[in-house]
Amino acid sequence: METAQDLKMNVYKFGNKTADGNSKLRNLLGGKGANLAEMSWLGIPVPAGFTITTEVCTKYNEYGEEETIAMIKPEVEEAIKNIEEIMGSTFGDKENPLLISVRSGARVSMPGMMDTVLNLGLNDEVVLGLAAKTNNERFAWDSYRRFIQMYGGVVLGMKPESKDDIDPFEEIMEHLKEKRHIELDTEFTVQDLQDLVYDFKDAVKKRTGHDFPTDPWDQLWGAVIAVFNSWNGDRAVYYRKMHNYPADWGTAVNVQAMVYGNMGENSGTGVCFTRDAGTGENVFNGEYLIDAQGEDVVAGVRTPLQITKLGSERWAELAKVDEEERIASYPSLEEKMPEIFKELDAYQDKLEKHYRDMQDMEFTIQEGKLWILQTRNGKRTGAAMVKIAIDLLKSKMIDEKEALLLLEPNKLDELLHPVFDPKALKRAHVIAQGLPASPGAATGQLVFFADEAGKYKNSILCRIETSPEDLEGMNIAKGILTARGGMTSHAAVVARGMGKCCVSGAGALKINYKGRSLRVGDKVYHEGDWISLNGSTGNIIEGKVATVEPELSGEFAEIMDLTNKYSKLKVRTNADTPKDAIVAKNFGAQGIGLTRTEHMFFEVDRIRAMREMILAETVKGRKHALEELLPMQRKDFEGIFEAMEGLPVTIRLLDPPLHEFVPHQLATQKELAEDMHISLQAVKNKVADLSEFNPMLGHRGCRLGNTYPEITEMQTRAIIEAALNLKEKGIEAKPEIMIPLVGTYAEFLEQERIIRGTAQQVFDERNDSIEFMVGTMMEIPRATLIADKIAERADFFSFGTNDLTQMTYGYSRDDAGKFLPIYLDKGILTSDPFEILDQEGVGQLVEIGTERGRKTKPNLKVGICGEHGGEPNSVEFCYNTDLDYVSCSPFRVPIARLSAAQAQIKAS
């Protein structure tokens, strides 16, 4: 038997307990269309209709309107006839009219991002037939004015002309309300509604130069094309970028027979959830309105009522409404229409059990008959997501693997960082938007210089961009705000490592360091002014906003325990301090994949010795300064080894170019000259000597260690001595010494010789030894191509995908913000390669390096320590490439653990 798919249909019908499609065709029919078909099969009362597939949207974007309509017209005409037969009315008929709705429906839920038109098919003659058929003149004219308003906005472009204007139709309605001294839409008389229809059509003619379309078929094709166009509207494009949804998915179009909630006191409309989307509590909840259409519930024009009695009682308590007033003025659906409620309650229970997930449903009651218009897996908070998964698991509705797959890894972020009080956010004034670089919530007073971050108890460090020199100030500040930089800029990477709220790349900010001020539009904010940052949305908010500490639930721990059961890919952390290491370990990190030693040198008591080493003209002078740094480094490593208690710790030797450690401000240069008893000119000369045209490809990484071997000797000694000191205390340390930026086999050999020679020297001095490994950070494309050679000596590879991405693409990570957004808009790139690992190019180098390395050394340990190590798609790639571990910032460890488990489940 041929199915609709075999016939390559463009239009899929549903209704009357049968359908061409089902829920498995989500990609083709969109989530809404697939679920409407599924509900039809389940015998749930769904208004008859049809779905135009997502493939048609893709063809429309390629071929245009005329060709697309010609292609689907016969199928649409047949589908309209099917609706007419089921509903017993005729599209465009003046006496027994069928009216329809036209809605979008992508494969994923994108609420409010695309367009909808209701009551389509009305004109001056049909409205009279509808009034006669329903014996309800007010309802007919109310539906007509709603249709012109929606169609005018969605299809004819009747939007406000500027951000200062209000909707042109709302403006007409407001004028009439003032004239009639009324407040609510429901107070309009039939004559008022007729006047509005006339005025609306007049406004359309004046604005567009054309009469409002009266032919129902012209109206239908206009609405279908408008829905297709809305897929590439600003809202939808922004939403897709937020969630990394591909632009080529397209949207389906769902056409359904209209059912009406605005036919009087025995009609209504509402939205309901099978569980609480905010908390995950297993309680049926939702809102409804009597004598209303669907958009009235979400528009907020009228205060909706609660569906359940329990919900109504809870609402009344918060609203300080007594029980007598609640029953009289705000009754629940359960109390007002008990039979309808009982039916709705049965459907919500049936649908949740069928889909085995929390459902978000829309319904309409037309003259005492209940219709279900939509169901979908409901959007939920991170906390609700975790609780719902565990509750469904405990109720045996799903198994452990399904519970893990039900979770969206990135939403775990919400559970790990301070969050704003939702009540306070409703009152907040957003002044600008940046990138949500590091989640969390921060409120503080503006400071513009890192060394002044401690000026206020709660500060927000605001910089054009940050550098490693700003580290201490970044650590002190409650939040970090930058005008430049992307999701993997210095500020973003360091902030995530600290679990610090950060908003980066806020281009609307005009920062004046000299004036210690920040301008956004016409408003100027000065040092000491209070602002708030929402690191989860990128919003920059004026003034103070109250924050609340997140509480990690028992359900969260249960989910993390489950990830261990289903994941062989280990998750480590990137940590530079014992504090970070402990945070990550508490989140379940199984070691450290990257300790950046350079961050240790920027603290006040160390930077002087570091600068003394850099300014020294002889090896003896450098060694003298390094001897001062040795005990500090050793103490750092002891703290990290002790925090990790026998777990492996990968320590990267000094990587950045030396110019990052020298002062660039005249005042600081003077201080350094005085401290070292040398001339200011000598300091200036050294700073100038260290400057490079392209520091990323300059004197850094293993090139530093090979030209100044005493640096590698000091760091190796500090690592080995720290491990031996802990051994004496009975604590096992497992150091893995990582050589950065290796591009040739000889570079690795030279550094390995210094490391192993220094380690042996320490072993001889202490008459003791420990096991340690020497490996390399694979971040230069050439290294991946000669990985078989490097593996002859290396004990492990760790792919530094941040630099590997820069060098593979030839993009500077710090400058890519100038063109990457345009590339993404134009579809030249589908995602930011610094956020999501480029599996086709960079990923291929990871695969080549891993394969060639293990060909030489089958048991070679291979991991990844770039920022991609905490990104779910990249983690899945690492599992499929058979890496041993991923490493990410401490607050992304739970995300990576869940992603690793999901990758293994999907693969099996």
Side-chain angles (χ1 to χ4, degrees):
M1 177 184 169
E2 282 188 311
T3 65
Q5 269 189 303
D6 295 327
L7 297 170
K8 286 291 178 188
M9 292 169 59
N10 296 308
V11 175
Y12 284 65
K13 301 183 290 294
F14 58 82
N16 201 24
K17 301 184 181 180
T18 187
D20 293 333
N22 55 50
S23 61
K24 293 176 183 174
L25 301 183
R26 174 176 297 271
N27 292 356
L28 186 67
L29 303 180
K32 189 178 293 181
N35 288 336
L36 285 166
E38 189 78 5
M39 285 195 291
S40 292
W41 284 118
L42 291 171
I44 288 173
V46 172
F50 59 89
T51 301
I52 303 171
T53 70
T54 56
E55 290 178 351
V56 177
C57 180
T58 305
K59 289 172 184 171
Y60 165 72
N61 289 329
E62 189 175 349
Y63 299 118
E65 180 177 339
E66 193 174 326
E67 199 167 326
T68 303
I69 291 176
M71 178 180 72
I72 64 173
K73 190 174 183 181
E75 290 178 75
V76 169
E77 288 174 346
E78 182 191 338
I80 286 286
K81 284 179 184 174
N82 185 63
I83 300 177
E84 290 174 337
E85 289 172 10
I86 293 172
M87 303 303 289
S89 51
T90 305
F91 187 51
D93 189 83
K94 298 170 189 173
E95 295 180 3
N96 184 23
L98 167 71
L99 301 189
I100 55 178
S101 64
V102 180
R103 292 182 171 92
S104 62
R107 67 174 69 178
V108 290
S109 177
M110 296 172 61
M113 295 303 109
M114 290 180 288
D115 289 327
T116 294
V117 176
L118 303 180
N119 307 319
L120 190 145
L122 281 167
N123 56 33
D124 291 351
E125 295 173 321
V126 172
V127 71
L128 300 176
L130 182 65
K133 177 185 174 182
T134 59
N135 196 28
N136 190 332
E137 199 176 12
R138 190 191 183 284
F139 150 72
W141 284 97
D142 183 45
S143 298
Y144 195 12
R145 73 90 189 161
R146 288 171 185 267
F147 168 55
I148 297 172
Q149 187 171 357
M150 291 189 86
Y151 196 93
V154 169
V155 183
L156 305 179
M158 293 279 291
K159 308 280 188 186
E161 291 185 347
S162 76
K163 64 180 182 181
D164 299 319
D165 295 330
I166 67 168
D167 179 271
F169 298 111
E170 290 292 337
E171 188 174 12
I172 293 168
M173 290 173 68
E174 289 304 313
H175 284 158
L176 183 57
K177 284 178 184 176
E178 286 176 22
K179 182 180 174 183
R180 296 267 291 101
H181 305 293
I182 58 175
E183 293 183 9
L184 300 176
D185 297 355
T186 49
E187 295 176 273
F188 285 132
T189 64
V190 172
Q191 185 60 55
D192 291 335
L193 293 168
Q194 290 172 343
D195 290 344
L196 284 175
V197 165
Y198 177 83
D199 291 341
F200 281 4
K201 289 198 290 184
D202 187 52
V204 168
K205 180 70 179 282
K206 286 176 180 173
R207 178 86 167 261
T208 69
H210 299 285
D211 290 324
F212 187 85
T214 57
D215 184 304
W217 282 100
D218 289 343
Q219 295 171 358
L220 175 57
W221 293 121
V224 168
I225 296 302
V227 170
F228 283 151
N229 285 334
S230 71
W231 173 251
N232 287 316
D234 292 342
R235 288 170 300 167
V237 169
Y238 183 76
Y239 192 87
R240 288 203 301 272
K241 284 180 181 175
M242 275 178 58
H243 296 276
N244 293 308
Y245 297 150
D248 60 5
W249 277 0
T251 180
V253 179
N254 296 289
V255 178
Q256 264 183 294
M258 280 297 301
V259 288
Y260 298 96
N262 58 329
M263 291 186 73
E265 285 299 307
N266 62 347
S267 300
T269 187
V271 176
C272 59
F273 299 86
T274 59
R275 292 171 192 249
D276 190 309
T279 65
E281 182 186 4
N282 185 11
V283 57
F284 180 41
N285 66 99
E287 297 175 327
Y288 79 104
L289 282 172
I290 292 294
D291 195 17
Q293 283 200 326
E295 74 270 20
D296 296 334
V297 177
V298 293
V301 178
R302 293 165 58 190
T303 303
L305 308 174
Q306 296 297 307
I307 284 175
T308 67
K309 184 182 178 186
L310 174 64
S312 183
E313 289 170 343
R314 288 179 174 180
W315 170 84
E317 187 178 346
L318 291 171
K320 295 184 168 49
V321 170
D322 63 40
E323 181 65 1
E324 186 177 341
E325 185 185 356
R326 184 195 71 78
I327 293 170
S329 303
Y330 309 103
S332 66
L333 184 68
E334 185 176 359
E335 294 162 302
K336 187 172 182 65
M337 297 183 175
E339 291 305 313
I340 291 288
F341 172 81
K342 188 176 177 182
E343 188 182 356
L344 179 63
D345 192 33
Y347 292 148
Q348 67 91 12
D349 185 60
K350 182 175 185 175
L351 286 169
E352 179 173 279
K353 285 175 178 171
H354 179 76
Y355 286 102
R356 296 185 300 167
D357 196 1
M358 185 264 278
Q359 294 299 293
D360 166 2
M361 301 160 55
E362 295 177 14
F363 65 90
T364 287
I365 305 157
Q366 178 177 308
E367 297 185 308
K369 178 171 174 55
L370 177 64
W371 296 90
I372 306 299
L373 306 184
Q374 172 172 301
T375 192
R376 60 189 172 194
N377 294 340
K379 297 284 184 184
R380 63 206 73 177
T381 65
M385 174 185 75
V386 169
K387 177 169 175 53
I388 288 168
I390 289 295
D391 284 354
L392 291 174
L393 174 62
K394 287 179 177 176
S395 69
K396 295 186 169 53
M397 200 180 293
I398 58 175
D399 61 27
E400 290 178 343
K401 291 180 181 180
E402 289 170 319
L404 288 171
L405 291 175
L406 204 61
L407 302 168
E408 191 180 325
N410 281 327
K411 287 196 75 67
L412 291 180
D413 239 0
E414 296 174 27
L415 308 179
L416 309 178
H417 295 268
V419 292
F420 284 125
D421 185 333
K423 295 174 189 171
L425 268 184
K426 287 180 182 176
R427 300 188 297 271
H429 172 49
V430 176
I431 59 171
Q433 175 78 39
L435 296 171
S438 185
T443 290
Q445 292 172 274
L446 277 173
V447 295
F448 295 92
F449 299 92
D451 60 355
E452 297 178 6
K455 184 181 275 191
Y456 305 106
K457 184 180 178 184
N458 297 302
S459 65
I460 299 291
L461 176 61
C462 182
R463 303 285 295 159
I464 295 172
E465 57 196 358
T466 64
S467 73
E469 251 184 297
D470 295 328
L471 188 71
E472 189 170 353
M474 293 169 73
N475 192 38
I476 292 169
K478 292 293 182 186
I480 300 148
L481 172 62
T482 68
R484 295 183 195 154
M487 295 289 282
T488 55
S489 63
H490 174 266
V493 171
V494 173
R496 282 196 290 271
M498 295 174 170
K500 186 87 63 178
C501 173
C502 175
V503 173
S504 66
L509 308 184
K510 305 301 175 192
I511 296 168
N512 182 342
Y513 286 144
K514 194 172 181 181
R516 294 173 181 256
S517 64
L518 159 68
R519 178 184 290 276
V520 184
D522 296 326
K523 185 75 183 279
V524 178
Y525 300 87
H526 299 279
E527 181 179 275
D529 287 348
W530 285 86
I531 67 164
S532 299
L533 305 178
N534 189 334
S536 300
T537 64
N539 284 344
I540 303 157
I541 300 165
E542 184 175 273
K544 298 181 184 180
V545 180
T547 61
V548 291
E549 284 297 319
E551 294 180 12
L552 296 183
S553 63
E555 286 97 350
F556 177 84
E558 291 178 65
I559 288 293
M560 289 297 102
D561 288 343
L562 275 183
T563 65
N564 293 337
K565 186 173 178 180
Y566 292 99
S567 176
K568 71 169 187 175
L569 181 68
K570 289 183 164 49
V571 176
R572 297 193 188 185
T573 189
N574 302 340
D576 306 333
T577 65
K579 180 184 173 187
D580 287 346
I582 290 167
V583 168
K585 194 173 146 202
N586 289 340
F587 283 143
Q590 295 160 294
I592 291 179
L594 176 63
T595 291
R596 296 170 282 252
T597 54
E598 61 269 13
H599 287 171
M600 300 168 177
F601 294 128
F602 280 101
E603 293 181 21
V604 175
D605 58 340
R606 304 170 188 209
I607 193 67
R608 188 193 59 78
M610 187 67 182
R611 287 169 173 169
E612 186 181 325
M613 186 274 294
I614 293 168
L615 289 167
E617 295 294 336
T618 64
V619 173
K620 184 180 177 182
R622 283 195 294 275
K623 284 190 173 181
H624 175 76
L626 288 166
E627 282 171 11
E628 195 176 336
L629 287 168
L630 172 63
M632 301 174 188
Q633 278 264 275
R634 186 171 57 226
K635 186 179 177 185
D636 288 331
F637 297 138
E638 285 176 6
I640 289 172
F641 289 146
E642 190 167 359
M644 296 313 287
E645 299 177 298
L647 292 171
V649 176
T650 302
I651 299 168
R652 182 180 71 186
L653 299 180
L654 192 65
D655 180 48
L658 295 179
H659 81 84
E660 290 196 7
F661 297 95
V662 296
H664 297 277
Q665 289 82 30
L666 182 62
T668 323
Q669 289 177 349
K670 284 180 180 177
E671 287 176 21
L672 182 61
E674 289 169 9
D675 283 350
M676 294 192 62
H677 307 292
I678 59 175
S679 69
L680 174 61
Q681 192 58 47
V683 174
K684 285 183 173 182
N685 290 344
K686 191 66 177 181
V687 171
D689 185 48
L690 290 172
S691 67
E692 297 176 294
F693 288 109
N694 193 342
M696 190 192 86
L697 300 177
H699 194 188
R700 55 173 285 225
C702 68
R703 301 156 202 165
L704 275 179
N706 283 331
T707 51
Y708 299 126
E710 52 274 14
I711 296 176
T712 300
E713 288 170 5
M714 182 278 286
Q715 291 200 291
T716 302
R717 178 172 283 275
I719 292 165
I720 300 299
E721 286 182 354
L724 286 169
N725 289 348
L726 285 185
K727 184 179 178 183
E728 290 176 359
K729 293 182 182 178
I731 299 170
E732 184 183 12
K734 291 185 177 178
E736 299 175 350
I737 301 174
M738 183 159 69
I739 303 166
L741 220 70
V742 164
T744 73
Y745 180 52
E747 281 179 318
F748 182 86
L749 282 182
E750 179 62 15
Q751 282 289 278
E752 186 202 18
R753 181 187 65 76
I754 297 167
I755 293 165
R756 294 198 186 278
T758 304
Q760 189 57 53
Q761 192 177 337
V762 175
F763 293 158
D764 293 343
E765 292 167 4
R766 300 282 290 263
N767 197 28
D768 199 358
S769 65
I770 51 108
E771 294 291 325
F772 70 98
M773 299 175 81
V774 181
T776 184
M777 197 165 182
M778 303 289 278
E779 48 194 333
I780 293 179
R782 188 178 190 276
T784 68
L785 300 176
I786 61 164
D788 51 343
K789 192 70 178 167
I790 295 173
E792 290 176 9
R793 298 296 307 172
D795 298 319
F796 67 89
F797 290 168
S798 179
F799 286 93
T801 51
N802 295 345
D803 270 2
L804 188 58
T805 298
Q806 289 196 92
M807 295 197 198
T808 303
Y809 272 95
Y811 295 168
S812 162
R813 188 174 62 180
D814 294 319
D815 299 311
K818 294 174 182 174
F819 62 87
L820 268 184
I822 298 166
Y823 270 36
L824 293 169
D825 284 342
K826 291 189 171 183
I828 296 171
L829 290 175
T830 55
S831 61
D832 183 338
F834 295 111
E835 292 179 28
I836 299 174
L837 184 68
D838 161 44
Q839 297 180 22
E840 185 181 19
V842 178
Q844 195 174 153
L845 291 175
V846 173
E847 290 171 335
I848 290 169
T850 303
E851 182 187 335
R852 292 184 182 179
R854 285 185 175 153
K855 192 173 183 181
T856 299
K857 189 173 286 180
N859 63 345
L860 182 73
K861 185 187 288 187
V862 183
I864 181 176
C865 64
E867 278 295 298
H868 300 100
E871 195 281 313
N873 293 311
S874 308
V875 172
E876 185 172 358
F877 167 81
C878 292
Y879 171 82
N880 293 331
T881 310
D882 203 25
L883 268 56
D884 294 296
Y885 67 85
V886 296
S887 188
C888 57
S889 53
F891 285 87
R892 291 197 74 82
V893 166
I895 293 166
R897 289 175 65 191
L898 175 58
S899 301
Q902 289 182 339
Q904 187 164 321
I905 292 167
K906 288 174 189 175
S908 65

